[in-house]
């Protein structure tokens, strides 16, 4: 499932390809993925407009329109964007096609149709109505904000990091990586974390794991040798010591960790 680094890459992609171009036409093959709007309204709002900017909050991408309003995309498990002139360069799983006057198309693809397509008048109000927590890479997200957010949870730390109402953008894969880099096991109760533990998680999340994953284009083969993600599979070994990684279930999700380098239960 696309997580914060993936969606940030989509944001950068949209920003580099699709801004300041008149939208000539809109097609919505994925009408069943619309949320809170209709295909006719989506077309009416987008036609003749320009995307002025691209923003992200957690796993949501927002295309800011000239004058006002936002196109909202959530990528579910299989969503991604492509920008092309030749239809042969796209897939058969296109759910939204935004045709520009320059002859190019921005397409939203989603094989399993678990994503969402919406419109928002106000970005901050949309985030609030969705009950999304702060974005870990937001300019105002500091250690104090993170510590206060974590103190609201009594769940396992992995589940807390993945709770989108507490922290927007972290999913199954990157929660494992953050905790591996911080040296904390995923099953440790959040309330049992020390101030030092919280600081370590915050630093690894905001200064190491997420920025590094974005720089690597969320490609496991391009991640540092010290990252657990490329080894996060059956038979995988710790990249630091070679110990066999352990697998467990936490909150219904699979977690991988090293019994040597991560402390806790």
């Amino acid at each position: 499932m696309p997580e914060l680094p993936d969606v940030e890459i989509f944001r950068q992609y949209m920003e580099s390809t699709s801004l300041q171009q008149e939208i000539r036409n809109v097609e919505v093959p994925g009408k069943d993925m619309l949320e809170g709007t209709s295909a006719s309204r989506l077309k009416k709002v987008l036609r003749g407009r320009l995307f002025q900017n691209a923003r992200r909050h957690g796993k949501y991408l927002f295309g800011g329109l000239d004058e006002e309003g936002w196109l909202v995309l959530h990528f579910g498990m299989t969503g991604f964007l492509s920008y092309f002139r030749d239809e042969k360069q796209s897939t058969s799983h296109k759910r939204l096609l935004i045709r520009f006057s320059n002859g190019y198309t921005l397409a939203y693809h989603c094989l399993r149709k678990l994503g969402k397509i919406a419109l928002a008048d106000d970005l901050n109000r949309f985030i609030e109505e969705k009950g999304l927590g702060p974005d870990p890479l937001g300019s105002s997200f500091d250690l104090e904000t993170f510590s206060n957010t974590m103190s609201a949870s009594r769940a396992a730390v992995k589940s807390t990091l993945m709770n989108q109402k507490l922290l927007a953008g972290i999913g199954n894969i990157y929660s494992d990586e953050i905790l591996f880099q911080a040296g904390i096991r995923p099953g440790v109760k959040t309330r049992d974390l020390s101030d030092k533990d919280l600081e370590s998680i915050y630093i690894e999340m905001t200064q190491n794991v997420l920025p590094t994953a974005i720089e690597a284009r969320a490609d496991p083969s391009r991640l540092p040798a010290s990252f657990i993600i490329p080894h996060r599979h059956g038979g995988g070994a710790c990249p630091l010591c070679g110990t066999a990684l352990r697998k467990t279930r936490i909150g219904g999700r699979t977690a991988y960790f090293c019994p040597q380098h991560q402390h806790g239960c």
Side-chain angles (χ1 to χ4, degrees), residues 238-252:
C238 173
L240 301 181
C241 68
T243 299
L245 296 177
R246 289 187 186 173
K247 182 172 75 171
T248 187
R249 298 284 290 181
I250 296 174

Side-chain angles (χ1 to χ4, degrees), residues 72-147:
V72 183
L73 298 176
H74 188 277
F75 294 88
M77 295 185 70
T78 58
F80 66 95
L81 298 176
S82 69
Y83 180 78
F84 55 85
R85 181 185 290 272
D86 185 351
E87 292 287 341
K88 294 179 181 179
Q89 297 175 3
S90 67
T91 73
S92 60
H93 309 297
K94 299 181 290 290
R95 311 305 178 191
L96 175 65
L97 295 156
I98 299 172
R99 310 284 192 185
F100 297 109
S101 56
N102 66 356
Y104 279 81
T105 296
L106 178 69
Y108 167 62
H109 309 253
C110 197
L111 171 62
R112 298 183 63 181
K113 302 175 74 171
L114 296 176
K116 297 294 181 184
I117 304 166
L119 292 170
D121 295 326
D122 183 271
L123 188 151
N124 291 326
R125 185 164 68 245
F126 178 89
I127 292 170
E128 182 179 349
E129 289 174 350
K130 284 293 182 181
L132 299 175
D135 186 288
L137 296 184
S139 59
S140 62
F141 187 74
D142 55 17
L143 177 57
E144 182 179 3
T145 301
F146 175 67
S147 297

Side-chain angles (χ1 to χ4, degrees), residues 111-238:
L111 171 62
R112 298 183 63 181
K113 302 175 74 171
L114 296 176
K116 297 294 181 184
I117 304 166
L119 292 170
D121 295 326
D122 183 271
L123 188 151
N124 291 326
R125 185 164 68 245
F126 178 89
I127 292 170
E128 182 179 349
E129 289 174 350
K130 284 293 182 181
L132 299 175
D135 186 288
L137 296 184
S139 59
S140 62
F141 187 74
D142 55 17
L143 177 57
E144 182 179 3
T145 301
F146 175 67
S147 297
N148 291 338
T149 297
M150 298 295 279
S151 68
S153 174
R154 301 177 66 84
V157 61
K158 177 180 174 71
S159 296
T160 301
L161 290 175
M162 294 176 60
N163 186 335
Q164 301 301 298
K165 295 184 181 301
L166 296 178
L167 196 63
I170 306 299
N172 200 28
I173 293 174
Y174 287 101
S175 59
D176 276 1
E177 189 64 64
I178 290 164
L179 293 172
F180 176 76
Q181 297 297 329
I184 298 167
R185 295 193 184 188
V188 174
K189 295 296 183 184
T190 307
R191 65 174 180 267
D192 294 333
L193 295 171
S194 66
D195 290 343
K196 184 178 179 180
D197 289 334
L198 290 173
E199 182 177 9
S200 179
I201 294 172
Y202 172 80
I203 290 173
E204 292 299 339
M205 176 172 58
T206 61
Q207 300 178 26
N208 180 21
V209 174
L210 296 180
T212 299
I214 293 167
E215 185 177 354
R217 313 303 294 171
D219 180 349
S221 69
R222 297 175 61 182
L223 292 173
S226 60
F227 270 43
I228 195 177
I229 288 175
H231 311 277
R232 194 181 172 279
H233 54 75
C238 173

Side-chain angles (χ1 to χ4, degrees), residues 1-16 54-62 73 75 79-81 135-139 168-170 174 209-218:
M1 175 182 291
E3 299 185 29
L4 187 156
D6 306 88
V7 182
E8 175 59 21
I9 292 164
F10 299 156
R11 186 200 67 77
Q12 294 173 4
Y13 183 77
M14 183 176 185
E15 186 174 71
S16 67
R55 298 270 300 275
R56 181 195 54 73
H57 187 93
K59 299 178 184 180
Y60 282 86
L61 175 64
F62 303 88
L73 298 176
F75 294 88
F80 66 95
L81 298 176
D135 186 288
L137 296 184
S139 59
I170 306 299
Y174 287 101
V209 174
L210 296 180
T212 299
I214 293 167
E215 185 177 354
R217 313 303 294 171

